[in-house]
Amino acid sequence: MTEMLRAPAEVKYADELDWLESIDDGPKPFSWRLSPRMVRLFILGSERADGLDREIPQKWFGDRSFVERSIVTLASDRGLLLIGDPGTGKSWLAELLAAAICRNSTLVVQGTAGTTEDHIKYSWNVSMVIAKGQSRASMIPSPIMTAMEGGVIGRFEELTRSTSDVQDALISILSEKYVSIPELDDDNIVFAQPGFSIIATANSRDRGVNDLSSALKRRFNFVRIPVVTNKRSEAEIVRFRTTELLRRHRIELDVPPTLLDILLQSFADLRAASASASSDDERLESALSTAEQIGVLEDAILHSQFFGDRALSAHTLGGSLVGSLARRTPEDLAILNKYWHGVVEPRSKKDGGEWPDFLEGGRQAISTLS
């Protein structure tokens, strides 16, 4: 198999999915490859009570009720909308669901201001149209239309970033379950096959960009994914994703628990400060999500690997945190400088350990960027 920079979930976990499919005797909706119970088990991991011959690791960390509601929604052939703050794992959950249900998570439309109806319906191969005219052979189906024809899951990322025209076109697909092709005289309707559904994601911070119409909202079941606030759960997520990143980069390096604690505590402190701030100028532009923690840690690990002594240090972690979160100048730097002097410095004097080195690394980064 050709090596991939980032393999989709159905490729990455192909062996697990094959094994689960071989032992799955539960009822399956439509053309699903796994039963709802096995989909949940694939995503949330196995427990001793499941009585399986092999362990299935947990891949998404969050309340099991969110996963169950998502699965039930897709089993009813309604659209599923995962909504939440950046970095809450919406896209990852959507990918895992599609991989488990139909073994294809790659039928994705990315919502942007430039997304058009063609991206969710079809376009044309211009050279073929000129040579032979418009026909089904010269038509280029969108990922959504491909999902309709195959009776599988289509995904729509960042739905609220697409314009109202695109959202309106999605209403007819979700309602009528077919797409008309008026340019053709024959074979001019594509009907959705059983098993087709759409998983969309939306960033709750994008409210007001392109608000969803009431008509479109009625076509979706909403599952709101909250920010992870439990320190233990967040630590598990960071460890899981960091292990994957290290494997992808082929780096053998341990993340000391003390440094992971410093990272988690720093983000918790900065979130608390952001929540109590009275204006946007007093808040970091960063969402301070779990995904951004993983980004900070990845940056520190790679810096240690290529420019350090191949051992992650608190000094490098402090510099990476400042470098990753200081996006506005001078506002974000002022907020971080205040945090470093008001929180990190007293904590380094009181607790010692890795905190003094973390303090110095952040100070140097702030000084360099100022």
Side-chain angles (χ1 to χ4, degrees):
M1 184 190 301
T2 303
E3 190 172 2
M4 304 176 191
L5 179 61
R6 182 193 177 279
E10 62 271 18
V11 174
K12 184 175 183 178
Y13 301 111
D15 181 57
E16 271 185 36
L17 290 166
D18 287 341
W19 184 78
L20 289 172
E21 195 170 341
S22 71
I23 66 166
D24 190 4
D25 58 2
K28 303 177 182 68
F30 309 116
S31 56
W32 285 28
R33 299 286 293 270
L34 293 177
S35 66
R37 285 184 178 275
M38 284 298 184
V39 173
R40 182 186 66 182
L41 190 147
F42 170 71
I43 295 171
L44 295 177
S46 59
E47 299 175 353
R48 185 172 298 177
D50 294 317
L52 299 181
D53 293 334
R54 63 181 284 182
E55 181 183 2
I56 303 298
Q58 187 173 2
K59 301 167 189 66
W60 188 82
F61 297 82
D63 195 302
R64 68 189 298 120
S65 66
F66 300 142
V67 176
E68 290 175 355
R69 177 165 165 74
S70 299
I71 295 169
V72 168
T73 294
L74 296 171
S76 71
D77 90 353
R78 285 179 60 82
L80 170 65
L81 179 61
L82 302 174
I83 187 168
D85 281 356
T88 48
K90 304 181 296 296
S91 297
W92 180 231
L93 177 56
E95 181 177 339
L96 290 171
L97 285 165
I101 290 169
C102 59
R103 299 294 287 265
N104 188 352
S105 65
T106 62
L107 298 173
V108 185
V109 173
Q110 184 67 48
T112 68
T115 304
T116 66
E117 281 191 52
D118 292 353
H119 292 105
I120 62 170
K121 288 186 174 180
Y122 58 89
S123 56
W124 299 97
N125 182 320
V126 177
S127 60
M128 287 185 68
V129 170
I130 292 172
K132 299 181 180 180
Q134 290 176 319
S135 66
R136 286 297 293 271
S138 61
M139 190 177 74
I140 304 173
S142 71
I144 299 298
M145 181 178 281
T146 301
M148 294 175 71
E149 292 181 297
V152 296
I153 303 292
R155 295 170 52 204
F156 199 123
E157 290 289 312
E158 305 292 354
L159 180 58
T160 49
R161 289 193 172 274
S162 58
T163 62
S164 57
D165 291 344
V166 174
Q167 293 182 19
D168 288 344
L170 200 58
I171 293 174
S172 64
I173 292 175
L174 290 168
S175 301
E176 309 299 335
K177 300 293 193 291
Y178 68 79
V179 171
S180 297
I181 310 168
E183 295 91 342
L184 301 182
D185 294 328
D186 301 312
D187 195 17
N188 58 0
I189 298 179
V190 173
F191 291 96
Q193 299 302 302
F196 166 71
S197 192
I198 292 176
I199 305 175
T201 64
N203 185 343
S204 54
R205 292 199 174 201
D206 286 341
R207 188 174 299 164
V209 176
N210 287 298
D211 288 334
L212 302 182
S213 66
S214 297
L216 187 54
K217 286 179 181 178
R218 289 196 301 271
R219 271 70 179 183
F220 281 109
N221 275 356
F222 282 55
V223 174
R224 296 188 177 275
I225 309 296
V227 173
V228 178
T229 55
N230 181 281
K231 195 171 181 179
R232 181 178 177 182
S233 297
E234 192 164 44
E236 288 176 340
I237 296 171
V238 174
R239 284 194 198 96
F240 174 77
R241 299 298 284 179
T242 303
T243 299
E244 287 191 327
L245 290 167
L246 288 172
R247 190 180 301 120
R248 185 193 303 174
H249 292 298
R250 298 176 180 173
I251 294 175
E252 294 183 6
L253 185 148
D254 291 327
V255 178
T258 52
L259 294 187
L260 184 57
D261 287 341
I262 287 176
L263 179 65
L264 293 169
Q265 185 60 58
S266 298
F267 266 71
D269 293 338
L270 289 167
R271 285 172 186 159
S274 179
S276 62
S278 57
S279 68
D280 287 342
D281 286 344
E282 297 175 356
R283 296 185 182 94
L284 289 171
E285 188 175 72
S286 164
L288 297 171
S289 66
T290 305
E292 286 171 314
Q293 285 193 62
I294 296 166
V296 169
L297 193 54
E298 181 184 20
D299 180 83
I301 287 170
L302 291 175
H303 195 279
S304 300
Q305 179 74 10
F306 299 132
F307 302 111
D309 56 7
R310 299 193 176 187
L312 182 62
S313 69
H315 187 281
T316 302
L317 184 65
S320 294
L321 190 146
V322 170
S324 298
L325 299 186
R327 300 174 182 175
R328 298 174 302 173
T329 304
E331 294 90 348
D332 284 352
L333 280 174
I335 294 168
L336 288 167
N337 189 49
K338 180 180 178 181
Y339 169 67
W340 237 256
H341 283 289
V343 179
V344 178
E345 186 173 349
R347 187 171 283 145
S348 68
K349 293 177 180 177
K350 178 182 176 183
D351 298 340
E354 302 279 9
W355 281 100
D357 202 21
F358 179 75
L359 170 70
E360 186 57 31
R363 273 180 173 169
Q364 285 188 12
I366 292 171
S367 175
T368 300
L369 294 171
S370 296

